Amino acid sequence: MKFKAKLTPHQTNLLHNLILPISRLHPSSTSSSTSSPTSILYLDDDKLVLSTRGGSSYTTAANSKNAFASSSHYTSNTQSNNDAEGIFCFAELVTKQGIFKELVIESLEQDNAILMEVNLVQLRTALRGVLNAQTKHSGGGGGGSN
């Protein structure tokens, strides 16, 4: 599977501002990487879907793959460390002519889609780095377009 997208500084800032509060649903420290809370990202030519469950519950791509196959929306298939219920968050964005300037997906899955687990804290950090680089490149214009 391959995924390549181009984002304007405005689109990068929008995506970062969406992911920032959602990523704060997860505790900042976890005991091991295998049980760290993750979020599910579903991407196809039309939409980008993020779903996550906060607190001590976490979602796995294996548990949610059937949910995406049977429905265009994620259902609450989650695995819990200690039966504590967390906050469930779901976001769906339009990809083409929306959150991405350009988008190329090469996947062997049905509908040319990608389904994977992501750590939103790491994604947030990466987007912050891109925003800083874009701001330096544009001369500190506060995220204006190039």
Side-chain angles (χ1 to χ4, degrees):
M1 106 179 117
K2 291 182 184 179
F3 162 66
K4 183 177 180 179
K6 291 185 180 180
L7 291 96
T8 65
H10 176 72
Q11 291 166 321
T12 306
N13 193 38
L14 178 66
L15 190 56
H16 178 268
N17 288 339
L18 173 74
I19 290 172
L20 180 65
I22 298 172
S23 67
R24 290 182 177 159
L25 292 173
H26 298 293
S28 58
S29 63
T30 56
S31 58
S32 72
S33 62
T34 58
S35 65
S36 66
T38 59
S39 299
I40 303 301
L41 182 138
Y42 173 85
L43 179 67
D44 65 21
D45 291 327
D46 300 319
K47 65 184 171 274
L48 178 139
V49 179
L50 282 171
S51 62
T52 192
R53 182 171 217 108
S56 61
S57 300
Y58 64 96
T59 314
T60 64
N63 290 339
S64 62
K65 184 166 181 143
N66 292 335
F68 276 114
S70 65
S71 169
S72 65
H73 296 288
Y74 173 75
T75 59
S76 184
N77 291 332
T78 59
Q79 180 177 350
S80 176
N81 286 341
N82 62 7
D83 295 332
E85 295 215 357
I87 298 170
F88 179 74
C89 186
F90 177 88
E92 183 172 325
L93 304 168
V94 174
T95 54
K96 288 185 179 176
Q97 314 273 311
I99 194 65
F100 300 119
K101 183 177 180 180
E102 293 179 23
L103 173 68
V104 177
I105 300 172
E106 294 178 15
S107 173
L108 299 177
E109 294 295 319
Q110 248 181 349
D111 300 329
N112 200 33
I114 295 173
L115 176 67
M116 65 183 179
E117 293 180 35
V118 295
N119 182 313
L120 290 181
V121 174
Q122 292 176 352
L123 183 56
R124 175 187 77 196
T125 303
L127 287 170
R128 171 64 21 212
V130 170
L131 282 171
N132 290 340
Q134 288 174 334
T135 301
K136 286 180 185 177
H137 182 265
S138 66
S145 61
N146 294 341

